Amino acid sequence: MAFEKTLKSPVTTNVLRPPGAVNELLFPSKCIRCGRCVEVCPYGSIRPLDIHAGIFTGTPLIHVTDIPCYLCMKCVEVCPTGTLRPITQQETKMGLAVINKHACITWNGELALCRTCYNICPFKETAIKLDELRPVVIDKYCTGCGLCVHGCQVTQENGKKAINVEPIYAYRRRAIANE
Amino acid sequence: MGLSRREFIKRTAALTAASYAGLSLPISNEDYSAHASDADSWHKGTCRLCGSGCRLELEVKNGKAVALRGIPQSRTNMGYLCMKGMLFYKLMGNNHPERLKKPLYRARKDQPFREISWDRALDIASKEFAKTVKKYGNNSVAYYGSGQAFTEETYIFQKVMRGGLKTNNVEGNPRLCMASAVGGYVTSFGADEPIGSYSNFERASCFFIIGSNTAEAHPVLFRRIMRRKMDNKDTVKVINADPRVSPTSRIADLHLQFAPGTDLALLNAMAYVILEDKLYNEDFLKNYADFRMGKKKKKVSLQKYMAFIKDYTPEKVARICGGNITADKIRKAALWFAKSEGTMSLWTMGINQRSRGVWANNLIHNLHILTGQLCRPGADSFSLTGQPNACGGVREGGGLCHILPAHRLVKKNKLRHQVERLWGIPEGRIPPKPGYHTMAMFEAVNEGKIKAIWINCTSPAQSLPNCDKYRKGMRREDVFIVVSDIFPTKTTELANLILPTAFIFEKTGVYGCTERRSQLTVKAVNAPGEAKPEVWMVREWALRLSKELNDPVIKKCVEPFMGKEPDYELPKAIWEEYTQKLTKGRDNDLSGATYEVLEKLPDGVQWPAPTKQWALKGGTDIKFVRGLDPLADKYAKNDLPYQFYGPAHPDRKLWIWLRPQKGPAEMPDSKYPFYLSTGRIIDHWHTSSMTGRIIELMRANPYAYVEVNPKDAERLGIKPGDMIEVVSRRGRNILPAKVYVGPCEGMVFVYWHDEDENRMINRVTKDAFDPGSKEPEFKICACRIKRVSGPRPLKPFLVHMKA
């Protein structure tokens, strides 16, 4: 059992790899744990995993509920191994923001007008649009930076927000960018 | 499967401590979760975080405020609230640890504050004011109030200042936000405040939104506009005129993006099209309109007006306006405007905060008068207000230096003596000369002409344009500053005496929103510590002043309110005096709107409401229309359906003004090539001293940023998140950039809520003001921008009390 744990990827909802990351299956073998991406991140978004993370120890992660990624793209420039591939802001696909329409107070029929996620999205009107004042994510353009998650005013009991970044597209970024 | 309200509250409360990493806010959220179970009681009130006047209910459990929800029966918001409105219960009672709880005093401004008793605080305040009056005369003291104070508070403050201290130095921050709208309404229609109501949103078939980001500044009203548009996609047109593409523009059929400061030309060009294509309403013009020009209000003919407007052909104006404006777009806008069943114009600060704000207001009214788009269902020229009680308290309650309660002008002898008689004070007590207007008042503080000033419920140290200049004066040791507020602000930092006040729902009072609607909020929770309602402070202060100055008339001013308990009876007595004595017989007659009536209604009463029966029906929806407005019937002089009985126009006509194009006070030049404009973001309100202390709102927008057009950004090598220096002739800011197609090319836009010295944009803005309304031109000045570094980690900033 303990062996399985050391092989389980830490990437999950709202816990993401920095921009441009290679396939999660390759990540621990390609990343040399130099810590440059952690060092260069001006916001402190990227943090290295500690010793308890098995083979993932020392690899960089972004917890978007704490500090999201502001897409300054510095980490991809300094990565010496190409584990974080040198991509542009628009190409980034750390994950996909998914709105939980039952938790979102604008969607669930409460008499509330909240569109914080729309307001703070760096690609407002492209990655998030408003459908009669209710936010809708456009999956093709969402970079998964997590700003919306960080700003979301609803926190559910399980710690998730009403909008969460799922790492589902993280491995297939290039395929999508080529579309 | 909807999430219940209560669960939502629990969820917002369940933010973990870890999620604040990067935000050093001294608040814990644990307090709220424990109490989000069943309600003890719900209390009706009004939201205080914008001018919409949304009605809401506060849930109180075990004496603690635990939640807010909208009231669906309310005619303003229909139950909807924005996030500010849903969350501000977190500032009430003991919910927030940073609330000011005890009077604080320091003799010199370089000393730390010490806690003192109320007795001593009021003694100090009265002694300082009395000393100043004796030494430097009555005009050396001033009151600077707020469009967020209750009507009762503004009223009693100005009564004591005018009747008691014999000075008209009574001002308020509405001078910074809607003085131009007042000027516009009075000069064009003869009476202040809009003719129609929000109910026109559901009846209008063309919206002309100019200089207003309704979607962010009035989100709940915007929902109604959007609903109207979405339900009638083909028949309802929305025109948005703004140099910046805002969320409001998203629903627009036509977006007119003109260069800042060319709005007057644009509006005149629309009038040109209306005249040229004979789109005007001849009957309406003949019966109700007149043409005026110049300072002397000279009467002119239609021909003269046509000759004047000849200069504003759409082709020429399209060149002046720049941006995306073409002659065709102007023609289309004018055609929609004139031809629709009912056209509603909406504007806020984009029009008001101009060095020719009154003119811009006049020109919007012109279009409505020309086309007869007034008094009909859906047809209205409607100025939105930014603060919850700028209309009710300050415009109607006499909170500006040149007006007395109920739309009376200070300089009109008859009206001034009428007020003196109603107050029972000797004739000649109120000086005939208006006092200092806001900009002159703080200039006088700079020059040492004002030695003692009471600032209530507002933060001029952050909200004045070019604020560094005025903070210098406020730092002077010979200027005694009293600040009454609920949280530490940029202004309390400059105070000698800080008086902790009760927040909304911790005291009782009336707010009057944009559509002439007065709504009552009754006390529901106790104020924290020793915080007190302002009305009590003023009464006690006035009694002490009376003793100090040995002047029984000051006591006389508060005599009717003696011995009343301050939480309900005292504001009620003040409201009674104000409505029954002062507003009776005036155009904003509120004598039917007693506390009893206001408490019975889910929302409130729109004036004119001369009788209780009329008030119980909700008051007057549309002014000036016979059959709908009781005063229109009462003052009718002929058989026409509309009676424009406003006090400023004895000829009972609407005036069309000849106003030429006038650019901003400061134009971009080679040294400062960019236009700078400022505005609000949905989640923060004004100086963010309140919204900044609500964790959910602060997390979403922890700091201000500068919006740069992508083309400019590319030219200057600016990437998103880069730190940008914004410099003007007055000051500089360093903010993170947001590259966004909002502002037009050659223009940058900054949010003004941030309290951090580096991101406080009013250090950069210009303090030029409209010569008519004296409202400063916040919206336009020249600046230059420069990238100073890549992204830097930033911390949100709030002013804290130094222990």
Side-chain angles (χ1 to χ4, degrees), chain B residues 147-164:
Chain B
Q148 297 154 54
F150 283 138
T151 306
E152 292 84 343
E153 292 160 7
T154 304
Y155 174 78
I156 192 172
F157 260 118
Q158 62 90 30
K159 186 178 180 190
V160 170
M161 292 302 288
R162 291 195 157 110

Side-chain angles (χ1 to χ4, degrees), chain B residues 168 409-413 416 420 428-435:
Chain B
N168 281 318
L409 287 175
V410 168
K411 55 181 186 206
K412 290 252 158 82
N413 290 337
R416 200 173 62 249
E420 284 159 348
R429 189 78 189 178
I430 306 172
K433 207 176 140 232

